[in-house]
């Protein structure tokens, strides 16, 4: 592994190695301070709460120093191009670059120019590999294995890099995948083997895991569906969750909007909701990724 740009760039062995290493961190079995003296750049060209703070926490838990950069306070605001900004930052020779960008494949461009590993924290509508890895770790912990489970992604699948990378990793791990989406949010091309529905009532029966994805309104010129209409037809309520398999679990990448794509009672149900477990595992997965990319360099 040289960079982490998407799930497609990882072999099955890479995925297993990352999940096993993350589990070792979760179990307190790996040594801390592995990256003492290393400098990691965190370049977020787009808003983030969980991903940015989680990467920073992971790097610091491993003893690395994190340099945070954001476009609002930088020369980008003075008109410098993305390419020149990246060339400038890369010339400072960080040990790793973590980045998020609004444009698909922006991390690939950085990976071509930088002399260090590049880790994608989300690019446009394309990929969010560490989110997919932390989702896989969380489900593996909850159910022992992913093979044979039925997962339902519901909501704005067309604009969601979380759904894209998630469907990719879970298909490779042997899950059955369904989509429930309003026609406006249905992807143009369905990944092979994925079943699609437009009504929650049709997609829920037999689901072992339900993953609500919020409408990604910031990627559209105007919201395609208003919040009240969305909640009425596609919101994950206790009644809709009751149509899934007994004991079905709920995962969500966040940010969650209570009463829109997920009911507060579902998000807070300790027997069903894995949402905060996902957040906790995010740190372990990002520690594993930094460890595996950097420790041997
Ligand atoms: C998401 C993202 O930004 O891709 N959040 C996250 O990283 N956990 C999903 C979203 O914004 O809906």
């Amino acid at each position: 592994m040289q960079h982490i740009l998407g799930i497609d760039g990882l072999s099955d062995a890479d995925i297993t190695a990352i999940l096993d290493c993350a589990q070792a961190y979760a179990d307190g079995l790996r040594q801390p301070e592995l990256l003492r003296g290393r400098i990691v750049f965190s370049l977020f060209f787009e808003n983030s709460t969980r991903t940015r703070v989680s990467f920073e926490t992971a790097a610091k838990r491993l003893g690395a120093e994190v340099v945070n950069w954001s476009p609002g306070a930088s020369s980008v605001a003075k008109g410098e191009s993305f390419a020149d900004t990246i060339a400038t930052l890369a010339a400072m020779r960080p040990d790793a670059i973590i980045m998020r960008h609004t444009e698909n494949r922006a991390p690939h461009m950085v990976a071509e120019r930088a002399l260090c590993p590049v880790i994608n924290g989300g690019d446009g509508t394309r990929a969010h590999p560490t989110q997919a890895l932390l989702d896989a770790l969380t489900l593996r912990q909850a159910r022992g294995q992913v093979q044979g489970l039925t997962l339902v992604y519901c909501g704005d699948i067309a604009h969601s890099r979380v759904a894209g990378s998630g469907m990719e990793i879970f298909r490779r791990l042997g899950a059955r995948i369904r989509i429930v989406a309003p026609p406006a949010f249905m992807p143009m091309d369905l990944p092979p083997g994925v079943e699609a529905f437009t009504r929650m009532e049709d997609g829920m029966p037999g689901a072992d895991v339900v993953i609500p994805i919020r409408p990604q309104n910031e990627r559209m010129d105007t919201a395609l569906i208003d919040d009240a209409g969305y909640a009425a037809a596609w919101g994950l309520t206790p009644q809709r969750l009751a149509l899934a398999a007994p004991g079905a679990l709920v995962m969500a990448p966040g940010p969650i909007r209570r009463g829109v794509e997920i009911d507060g009672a579902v998000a807070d149900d300790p027997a069903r909701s894995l949402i905060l477990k996902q957040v906790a595992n995010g740190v372990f997965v990002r520690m594993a990724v930094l460890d595996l990319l950097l420790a041997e360099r």
Side-chain angles (χ1 to χ4, degrees):
M1 271 183 284
Q2 215 186 339
H3 306 287
I4 307 247
L5 302 176
I7 295 300
D8 51 353
L10 299 176
S11 67
D12 291 348
D14 292 336
I15 291 173
T16 304
I18 294 168
L19 297 181
D20 289 349
C21 181
Q23 187 60 52
Y25 279 116
D27 293 338
L29 300 176
R30 294 277 295 183
Q31 81 191 74
E33 305 290 297
L34 199 67
L35 299 184
R36 177 156 295 286
R38 305 297 186 93
I39 295 183
V40 174
F41 281 8
S42 175
L43 317 180
F44 276 67
F45 291 81
E46 192 193 284
N47 294 350
S48 173
T49 299
R50 274 151 279 261
T51 305
R52 190 174 68 73
V53 176
S54 174
F55 266 117
E56 184 166 353
T57 302
K60 288 187 167 166
R61 286 236 185 271
L62 293 172
E65 304 276 349
V66 179
V67 176
N68 269 301
W69 174 95
S70 58
S74 77
S75 300
V76 170
K78 299 181 192 166
E80 188 166 72
S81 71
F82 176 63
D84 284 325
T85 298
I86 291 303
T88 300
L89 293 168
M92 296 177 200
R93 301 294 301 267
D95 294 295
I97 293 176
I98 296 156
M99 65 173 290
R100 166 173 285 192
H101 203 281
T102 47
E103 296 294 323
N104 291 3
R105 303 185 72 83
H108 293 70
M109 186 178 151
V110 177
E112 280 164 22
R113 286 168 172 73
L115 298 168
C116 64
V118 174
I119 305 170
N120 181 6
D123 62 323
T125 55
R126 199 192 72 89
H128 195 345
T130 57
Q131 179 72 43
L133 288 157
L134 75 88
D135 290 346
L137 180 69
T138 304
L139 192 51
R140 201 173 83 161
Q141 289 170 350
R143 282 292 167 90
Q145 61 167 22
V146 170
Q147 175 91 31
L149 296 176
T150 297
L151 273 61
V152 181
Y153 279 88
C154 43
D156 184 1
I157 313 306
H159 301 99
S160 171
R161 56 195 176 208
V162 170
S165 287
M167 291 192 289
E168 211 174 321
I169 200 167
F170 284 124
R171 277 176 53 230
R172 282 178 60 182
L173 294 173
R176 278 187 295 274
I177 310 285
R178 291 183 200 157
I179 290 172
V180 179
F185 294 156
M186 190 64 82
M188 304 264 247
D189 299 309
L190 290 184
V194 169
E195 279 183 288
F197 303 87
T198 52
R199 284 168 30 96
M200 293 289 273
E201 289 67 22
D202 297 334
M204 277 308 119
D208 297 300
V209 186
V210 185
I211 306 172
I213 300 288
R214 77 181 170 90
Q216 314 270 302
N217 291 332
E218 71 278 19
R219 305 193 201 290
M220 306 163 211
D221 295 332
T222 52
L224 296 176
I225 304 175
D226 67 63
D227 286 349
Y230 187 88
W234 293 281
L236 185 59
T237 57
Q239 295 74 17
R240 289 194 173 121
L241 185 58
L243 301 173
L249 298 170
V250 175
M251 300 204 298
I256 59 168
R257 292 179 314 150
R258 291 166 184 267
V260 185
E261 67 275 356
I262 187 166
D263 198 284
V266 172
D268 296 336
D269 183 345
R272 301 299 195 87
S273 170
L274 299 177
I275 295 173
L276 293 179
K277 191 83 195 143
Q278 289 171 271
V279 176
N281 278 331
V283 175
F284 301 129
V285 158
R286 291 169 178 126
M287 288 171 80
V289 161
L290 288 165
D291 174 340
L292 295 171
L293 287 175
L294 288 186
E296 304 297 318
R297 281 172 74 97

